[in-house]
Amino acid sequence: MNRPPLPSPRTPFDAQLPSPELWADAPAPAPAAASVPDRATVLVTGSGGPAGISVVRRLVALGHRVVAADADPTAAGGALASVAVTLPPGDHPRFLDALLGAAAVYGVDALIGTVAEELPTLTAGVDRLTAAGVATWLPDLTAVDLCCDKGAFAERMDQAGVPSPPTATTAEGAGSLPGPWIVKPNSGRGSRGLQLLDDRDAVVAAMSADPGLIAQTRLSGREFTADALVDRDGRLLTVVPRWRDETKAGISVKGTTFASAAVTDLVSDALAAVGLTGPANVQGFVADDGTATVVEINPRFSGGLPLTLAAGADVVATYLSGIRDPQAELPFLWFTPGVRMSRYFAETYTAPDGTPVADPCAPVAVPVEVPA
């Protein structure tokens, strides 16, 4: 398939950007909850995943009517939204038809997808979505392909001069790759299929047995994730880095926001190299000497999104504004460094007829004692 040429490494991020210090120290703008249009309805896909649940919760908190969609009829996000609908998986031939049907029934005027694998189908159907009155903001598929193909992403980072781990996509290439090693599927999410190996022969054997794997030199240092939002013209609106203090199954359960010029520059360069717009989740490491290295970009909201929102950068409301008004000049978003998150499990309940059941452990307001 013929694709347009990739952008140069510094395009289109050469515009004046706020420094990380400005992003971190300036006051966060107040949420625009009062600007919700009458009868506005947002459909959110992937409402069973951490990112989808976070988007649903934020939109509901802002006063939007939300249709939560997922392939799992028991997805938790459905119990948190105004309406829950079940759609086939994004690669199903009737996925778009089902989505359009739900949009027509519930008067949907805007779509937020939180599943990267759905993007090719949504992009192919953008004319049908527009004709149905459903506003979208979808990234260029070239950028999506680069983000979802870890081998191609590493190659693009190397071409652009963006620091990334040495990578091998074949067993032969792994034979000369510096160790220790991490072996993982070339396409996938979270920590599924990830192997930490210290023996070169084991790396070569794993890749020989499964050509769908890649190998990378394992990085040392502190792991970070950065939530970012890039407007339609390529302006970087925010970078909110956070330390991944503790993770389970690839999802951050404890984290802390921080400000770093090195990480912000790295994220800017990596996003420019792939030409991504909209929400992005950039992952990497900061070495003991302060050097930052990018590992991957996910072209979607992240599972740790609530921490970015808590730190003051409302990327969800801003993204929705850009969906509904493609000509809008979206604001730069600031955040507070040092905000900490500790995630816990929460449950939703429904009766046999599908109606909500009250949470027996619902939190109550507890006064916080502040030392004198």
Side-chain angles (χ1 to χ4, degrees):
M1 179 182 295
N2 292 326
R3 293 281 171 82
L6 294 171
S8 63
R10 294 298 304 174
T11 303
F13 291 94
D14 284 331
Q16 293 295 317
L17 299 175
S19 69
E21 292 76 16
L22 286 177
W23 265 332
D25 294 338
S35 63
V36 177
D38 291 340
R39 302 298 300 165
T41 302
V42 188
L43 189 148
V44 179
T45 68
S47 65
I53 290 172
S54 298
V55 171
V56 168
R57 292 181 63 203
R58 182 56 182 155
L59 292 174
V60 170
L62 290 174
H64 294 275
R65 183 170 183 262
V66 179
V67 174
D70 199 275
D72 179 2
T74 63
L80 304 171
S82 310
V83 177
V85 297
T86 304
L87 300 180
D91 58 357
H92 191 281
R94 300 302 299 274
F95 169 74
L96 186 62
D97 293 334
L99 189 152
L100 286 165
V105 169
Y106 296 108
V108 170
D109 76 304
L111 170 68
I112 295 181
T114 68
V115 181
E117 291 80 4
E118 296 171 352
L119 290 172
T121 301
L122 293 174
T123 300
V126 70
D127 289 342
R128 293 180 63 191
L129 289 163
T130 301
V134 179
T136 60
W137 173 359
L138 302 172
D140 183 84
L141 281 185
T142 301
V144 174
D145 289 347
L146 281 170
C147 293
C148 293
D149 185 321
K150 292 180 174 61
F153 176 79
E155 182 179 2
R156 184 65 185 112
M157 293 300 101
D158 185 58
Q159 293 171 351
V162 179
S164 62
T167 302
T169 58
T170 64
E172 292 76 14
S176 58
L177 192 70
W181 303 269
I182 183 170
V183 176
K184 57 188 176 181
N186 189 51
S187 60
R189 60 171 59 200
S191 57
R192 298 169 191 165
L194 183 146
Q195 304 175 61
L196 303 178
L197 301 176
D198 297 305
D199 180 79
R200 186 183 302 277
D201 290 341
V203 175
V204 174
M207 296 186 66
S208 298
D210 185 352
L213 298 176
I214 67 165
Q216 294 182 320
T217 299
R218 197 188 316 164
L219 299 176
S220 61
R222 199 170 180 185
E223 188 177 9
F224 74 87
T225 288
D227 283 331
L229 184 63
V230 184
D231 77 3
R232 293 176 186 263
D233 295 326
R235 286 191 313 147
L236 186 59
L237 300 178
T238 197
V239 175
V240 184
R242 62 178 181 271
W243 299 120
R244 289 165 65 87
D245 296 329
E246 184 178 337
T247 61
K248 292 182 180 179
I251 301 296
S252 176
V253 294
K254 291 182 181 178
T256 308
T257 59
F258 67 96
S260 166
V263 170
T264 298
D265 289 344
L266 176 76
V267 170
S268 174
D269 290 344
L271 290 169
V274 299
L276 188 68
T277 68
N281 164 231
V282 184
Q283 298 183 358
F285 284 82
V286 177
D288 293 340
D289 63 0
T291 303
T293 303
V294 66
V295 174
E296 64 181 45
I297 296 177
N298 296 303
R300 56 175 174 79
F301 286 117
S302 70
L305 174 63
L307 180 52
T308 288
L309 298 174
D314 197 342
V315 290
V316 175
T318 304
Y319 180 54
L320 181 57
S321 295
I323 291 173
R324 286 191 166 131
D325 183 2
Q327 306 305 317
E329 184 173 348
L330 302 178
F332 291 111
L333 303 176
W334 288 266
F335 75 99
T336 302
V339 177
R340 288 187 284 272
M341 173 191 73
S342 181
R343 173 172 270 154
Y344 62 93
F345 286 111
E347 296 78 24
T348 61
Y349 308 91
T350 54
D353 62 358
T355 57
V357 171
D359 184 353
C361 301
V364 296
V366 178
V368 177
E369 295 184 7
V370 180

